[in-house]
C-alpha cells in the first residue's frame, strides 16, 4: 500500500527554508511547510496542468506541474514493478556471480571476465536501483516540477530555498 494514496484531488506541499544550522558532523535545515490549496483541488482530467502557487512565507511565485490521477497511478505502478523485478533479479545474479567467481579461469579467456563483469553490473543495479525505485514509487503523487516564476513570467529551474515535500 502506498504511503500517500493518489486520489482525484491534489495538494502541493511547498517547503520554504527557514534556517540552516551547521554542526561539526551534521547540517540541519529547518523548513516551513505549507499545504496548498487548503482542502485540495481537483486534478486535471486530461493531460498535465501547470498551476501557480505563492509561498505564504516569502511571497515568491511558483509553477508546479500536476499529473492526472491515472498517469500518476501508472507511473507509481511501473516504478514498483521495475523495482521488484530488479530486487528479485538478485536471486539469480548473486548465486551466478558467486559460482563464476569461484572458478579458475584460463589465461586470456576474456569471455569469462566479461560474464563476471556483466553479472556484477546487474547485481549492482538490482541492489541500488531496485530499492530506489521502490522508495520513489511510494512517494510519487503526481505533483512535481517546481519552477520559480520570474517578474517577466519566465520559469526558472533554480528555486533556491524552496522544495516540494
Amino acid at each position: 500500500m502506498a504511503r500517500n494514496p493518489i486520489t482525484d484531488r491534489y495538494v502541493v506541499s511547498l517547503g520554504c527554508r527557514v534556517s540552516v544550522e551547521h554542526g561539526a558532523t551534521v547540517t540541519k535545515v529547518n523548513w516551513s511547510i505549507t499545504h496548498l490549496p487548503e482542502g485540495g483541488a481537483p486534478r486535471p482530467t486530461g493531460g498535465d496542468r501547470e498551476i501557480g502557487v505563492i509561498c505564504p512565507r516569502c511571497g515568491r511565485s511558483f509553477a508546479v506541474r500536476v499529473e492526472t490521477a491515472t498517469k500518476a497511478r501508472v507511473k507509481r505502478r511501473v516504478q514498483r514493478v521495475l523495482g521488484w523485478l530488479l530486487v528479485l533479479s538478485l536471486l539469480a545474479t548473486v548465486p551466478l556471480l558467486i559460482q563464476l567467481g569461484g572458478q579458475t579461469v584460463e589465461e586470456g579467456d576474456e569471455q569469462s571476465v566479461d560474464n563476471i563483469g556483466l553479472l556484477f553490473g546487474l547485481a549492482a543495479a538490482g541492489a541500488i536501483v531496485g530499492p530506489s525505485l521502490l522508495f520513489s514509487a511510494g512517494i510519487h503523487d503526481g505533483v512535481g516540477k517546481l519552477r520559480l516564476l520570474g517578474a517577466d513570467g519566465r520559469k526558472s529551474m533554480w528555486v533556491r530555498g524552496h522544495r516540494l515535500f
Side-chain angles (χ1 to χ4, degrees):
M1 176 120 198
R3 287 184 223 165
N4 49 352
I6 297 171
T7 63
D8 60 341
R9 301 185 71 75
Y10 70 90
V11 174
V12 177
S13 299
L14 180 65
C16 184
R17 187 175 58 210
V18 176
S19 65
V20 178
E21 301 169 8
H22 298 283
T25 58
V26 181
T27 300
K28 182 180 177 186
V29 179
N30 296 315
W31 296 93
S32 171
I33 301 172
T34 307
H35 303 288
L36 302 168
E38 290 201 25
R43 284 185 182 270
T45 55
D48 297 346
R49 182 176 64 190
E50 281 199 356
I51 57 142
V53 294
I54 297 174
C55 178
R57 186 172 177 276
C58 66
R60 289 188 180 155
S61 298
F62 295 95
V64 178
R65 177 159 300 163
V66 178
E67 299 172 344
T68 63
T70 304
K71 183 177 181 180
R73 285 185 195 112
V74 167
K75 277 186 174 181
R76 178 182 277 181
R77 191 169 293 130
V78 166
Q79 287 178 343
R80 190 169 285 133
V81 167
L82 287 175
W84 277 115
L85 286 175
L86 285 170
V87 168
L88 291 175
S89 73
L90 292 172
L91 295 174
T93 55
V94 171
L96 281 172
L97 189 60
I98 291 171
Q99 180 187 10
L100 289 177
Q103 294 178 351
T104 305
V105 178
E106 296 291 327
E107 192 170 329
D109 185 8
E110 303 226 354
Q111 182 65 34
S112 294
V113 174
D114 291 343
N115 289 343
I116 290 176
L118 176 65
L119 285 172
F120 185 77
L122 290 173
I128 296 168
V129 178
S132 299
L133 281 172
L134 290 172
F135 176 74
S136 66
I139 62 173
H140 180 73
D141 62 354
V143 177
K145 290 196 179 181
L146 179 67
R147 302 288 185 253
L148 177 66
L149 292 177
D152 57 356
R154 293 189 337 188
K155 297 175 207 141
S156 170
M157 291 180 62
W158 191 34
V159 290
R160 185 177 177 193
H162 292 82
R163 66 176 275 202
L164 292 174
F165 282 90

